[in-house]
Amino acid sequence: MKTIGIITYQHPHLKTEQVLLNLLRKYGPAQMNIYALPFVPRKERNMQINHRPDQSVSIAPELMAKTHNIPYISVADDNEIPEGLDYYLILGAGILSEAFVKNKKTVNCHPGIIPAVRGLDAFKWSVLEMKPLGVTLHFINESVDAGDIISIIPTNVYSTDTIDTLSRRHYENEIYMISNFEYYMENPTNIFQGIPAAAPHRRMDAATEDAMISKFETYKKMFSA
């Protein structure tokens, strides 16, 4: 049996809750350990578009671990996470240390098509830059969203989409893919091979977000079936 280390926060986190429940259905608690890192809140921003659900509206990983008999280890930093498991899944974490990613098979699901859309707010930058929308399952290395790609799946765009419906579907793809990471390792898929690379983005500011919103109808026309 494969053993899985879940990397998350010492704080309620929706993605962790959703993926943990999916993994429990597949594997049961015996194959998982939860390693919880300190949670550092990001600075509040005024945004017109919340392209991801509020991650804090969730059940704390510690309570989920206790309820489902999953070992829960609270750590000060990633140096305290031991080696020896088959895979480590990133569900919530900041930048991991070089030593950590060199010595562990660490899998992440990025809400953008690597290497075309890297860094933060990938959904918004994809729309602004008129790039196809998809999620990338990949191994972590020392650079931002630049590790070996495992699989990429597209997010379908429909002519009647709003930004809210499209961003919800995109987030659901992310949850689905990381929950089924072994399937995509065994059945790799990537229709975007050869897509031009770009530098990683920072968070999108308000003025740029306005420009992104103004391009959404054009984006739909370009990418909807």
Side-chain angles (χ1 to χ4, degrees), residues 137-150:
L137 192 71
H138 67 107
F139 288 107
I140 295 285
N141 68 5
E142 303 86 32
S143 300
V144 176
D145 298 329
D148 290 341
I149 292 170
I150 299 166

Side-chain angles (χ1 to χ4, degrees), residues 154-192:
T155 296
N156 292 332
V157 181
Y158 297 99
S159 60
T160 57
D161 264 323
T162 64
I163 289 182
D164 289 334
T165 61
L166 183 56
S167 62
R168 172 188 53 77
R169 189 179 316 115
H170 188 56
Y171 175 77
E172 289 169 353
N173 261 357
E174 181 184 343
I175 299 301
Y176 177 82
M177 195 173 207
I178 192 71
S179 299
N180 293 281
F181 74 100
E182 281 198 289
Y183 171 84
Y184 286 104
M185 286 179 170
E186 295 166 0
N187 301 276
T189 180
N190 180 7
I191 64 172
F192 301 104

